[in-house]
Amino acid sequence: MTPKIARYLADNQPATPCLILDVDRMEDNFRAIRRALPLARVYYAVKANPARPILERLVKLESSFDAASFEEIAACMEAGAAPAAISYGNTVKKVSAIRAAHAAGVTMFAFDSAEELEKLAEHAPGARVYCRILVGNEGADWPLSRKFGTTVELARDLMTRAAGMGLDPYGLSFHVGSQQTATATYEAAIGKVGMLFTDLKDAGVNVRMVNLGGGFPIRYRDEVPGIDAFGDAIMHAMTECFGNALPEMVIEPGRSVVGSAGLVCAEVVLVSRRDPADPVRWVYLDIGRFGGLAETEGEAIKYQFTTEHDGGETGPVALAGPTCDGADILYERSNYRLPLALRSGDQVQIRAAGAYVTTYASQSFNGFAPLAEHYI
Ligand SMILES: *Cc1c(COP(=O)(O)O)cnc(C)c1O
């Protein structure tokens, strides 16, 4: 928790569940990423947290933006971003959204299929396009594999045809999966995409950019390598691949920009012991899978919890949300322990919850309103 968040909590005691996000801490994270990879242009992945105060601060910092929908593009522009600083990075776009983005002045678009490339040629003529390649996601707690990206062979074919279709064959991209803890996965992806880049260049295609995606991890319950380890590994692999003829580099961090800047405050609704002989207590919070903690699906993202009883004796717990849905369980198998003194009404804080929480909250399943948001 940052001192600013601690002060805000003490002064305001906001109703729970809520997110409190320290925008200065977000700026520090952004600067650290930029320092770790000074040759890469940073396109903030808007989906991680599209709140206006975040976008406005990033505009001030001269960030660019990776948007997944026309709505996200509009949000960036309302926050002051120039259309030239926005990449439409979703490989799955409605024609109406492509047309709206093109009309708004966005010139950079992703694709990973023949049909999407044809849609772009027709509805965003002249656009700079980049092809997403399927790469390994080993080491990612929240993988994205299979759904996006194409083979090197199809990418070569599509990139070769793009210029003839009136598009600018600008670059290649990949994404190694989110909360990616293995630097080697970036290195392997760069090797794969770098070879294709060189082949295309040799074949006369005017390809200029490599987009390394996001995925940089943050500390939840377990320690992860720092951003500098990823910066070093990436620059090492890029230099191996391209020597001193480095292409333009793009990164699209989301989680690593906003995650550690946010704290979710929740309340214990119930502590229940099903059987006196069972050491495991069920702890129900006022936020769960449908309240924004969607990334606990499969117990993939393991948040860190703090309570006012920390330091006292602990026991094993299962953690769940407040709704009547059986899927609304956060953790049953991940060996969480919480203080034995924990009771209903106690506050629980969920650390590093600034990314992928607010927009994942359901509208009002079971009548529960989405969590409140405080940007300070
Ligand atoms: C989600 C996403 C990102 C951001 O990933 P993080 O793991 O949050 O850094 C970047 N690029 C694309 C294309 C994405 O879909």
Side-chain angles (χ1 to χ4, degrees):
M1 179 170 1
T2 70
K4 211 165 121 191
I5 292 180
R7 208 174 326 118
Y8 185 85
L9 279 176
D11 292 350
N12 297 282
Q13 297 168 353
T16 68
C18 66
L19 170 73
I20 302 149
L21 191 143
D22 180 343
V23 182
D24 294 328
R25 173 64 187 270
M26 186 277 295
E27 174 171 338
D28 292 344
N29 294 341
F30 179 84
R31 290 183 186 279
I33 293 165
R34 206 148 61 178
R35 264 198 311 278
L37 279 164
L39 297 181
R41 190 160 180 83
V42 181
Y43 284 69
Y44 169 65
V46 176
K47 75 174 187 289
N49 188 326
R52 180 70 170 258
I54 289 173
L55 300 182
E56 283 180 348
R57 180 67 64 90
L58 288 171
V59 167
K60 277 209 192 102
L61 295 167
E62 299 183 332
S63 179
S64 296
F65 297 89
D66 169 50
S69 63
F70 181 70
E71 288 76 359
E72 284 188 354
I73 291 170
C76 292
M77 290 176 64
E78 281 157 22
I86 300 171
S87 164
Y88 198 163
N90 194 338
T91 55
V92 182
K93 300 176 281 301
K94 281 189 179 182
V95 161
S96 56
I98 294 173
R99 294 175 69 91
H102 180 65
V106 173
T107 61
M108 189 168 154
F109 294 81
F111 72 96
D112 66 0
S113 65
E115 187 171 64
E116 192 72 7
L117 187 65
E118 283 152 19
K119 282 156 67 181
L120 291 171
E122 184 173 348
H123 302 288
R128 292 178 294 157
V129 295
Y130 61 96
C131 187
R132 181 159 167 180
I133 314 295
L134 182 63
V135 298
N137 275 206
E138 297 81 16
D141 287 344
W142 193 257
L144 305 160
S145 55
R146 300 202 317 277
K147 182 168 175 184
F148 304 106
T150 187
T151 61
V152 164
E153 292 70 32
L154 188 64
R156 181 186 290 119
D157 174 47
L158 296 176
M159 286 294 284
T160 307
R161 280 165 46 199
M165 298 166 72
L167 294 165
D168 176 0
Y170 181 42
L172 301 173
S173 77
F174 61 80
H175 199 297
V176 293
S178 198
Q179 187 66 7
Q180 173 57 262
T181 56
T183 53
T185 304
Y186 286 92
E187 296 173 294
I190 289 168
K192 180 173 184 178
V193 167
M195 272 192 326
L196 172 60
F197 188 97
T198 308
D199 286 356
L200 286 169
K201 249 193 134 50
D202 291 348
V205 178
N206 185 24
V207 59
R208 305 160 334 261
M209 182 276 286
V210 173
N211 178 339
L212 308 146
F216 309 110
I218 61 170
R219 201 233 147 110
Y220 288 108
R221 198 175 66 168
D222 303 319
E223 211 46 85
V224 295
I227 187 68
D228 293 327
F230 290 89
D232 291 347
I234 284 170
M235 285 321 298
H236 181 76
M238 289 295 290
T239 311
E240 287 252 290
C241 212
F242 297 100
N244 51 17
L246 284 180
E248 292 172 38
M249 286 169 62
V250 162
I251 54 172
E252 300 172 335
R255 186 186 306 278
S256 53
V257 176
V258 283
S260 68
L263 180 82
V264 162
C265 291
E267 182 182 316
V268 176
V269 183
L270 178 70
V271 181
S272 143
R273 208 186 275 271
R274 290 281 156 61
D275 178 335
D278 187 352
V280 177
R281 293 160 298 151
W282 278 78
V283 174
Y284 301 88
L285 303 177
D286 62 358
I287 185 170
R289 194 83 84 69
F290 300 100
L293 303 179
E295 289 194 315
T296 56
E297 182 168 350
E299 311 199 8
I301 296 296
K302 294 182 178 62
Y303 291 104
Q304 189 183 6
F305 297 83
T306 59
T307 77
E308 57 208 271
H309 304 294
D310 287 358
E313 202 186 335
T314 64
V317 293
L319 279 151
T323 71
C324 298
D325 193 304
D328 190 8
I329 293 172
L330 304 175
Y331 305 108
E332 257 191 293
R333 303 184 305 276
S334 298
N335 301 315
Y336 272 89
R337 298 178 69 86
L338 285 174
L340 294 174
L342 201 66
R343 295 287 179 276
S344 64
D346 287 347
Q347 297 264 318
V348 168
Q349 292 166 346
I350 307 174
R351 316 218 14 205
Y356 302 117
V357 170
T358 56
T359 48
Y360 269 145
S362 71
Q363 269 313 300
S364 83
F365 178 55
N366 264 178
F368 294 109
L371 76 170
E373 301 172 48
H374 308 268
Y375 296 90
I376 61 173

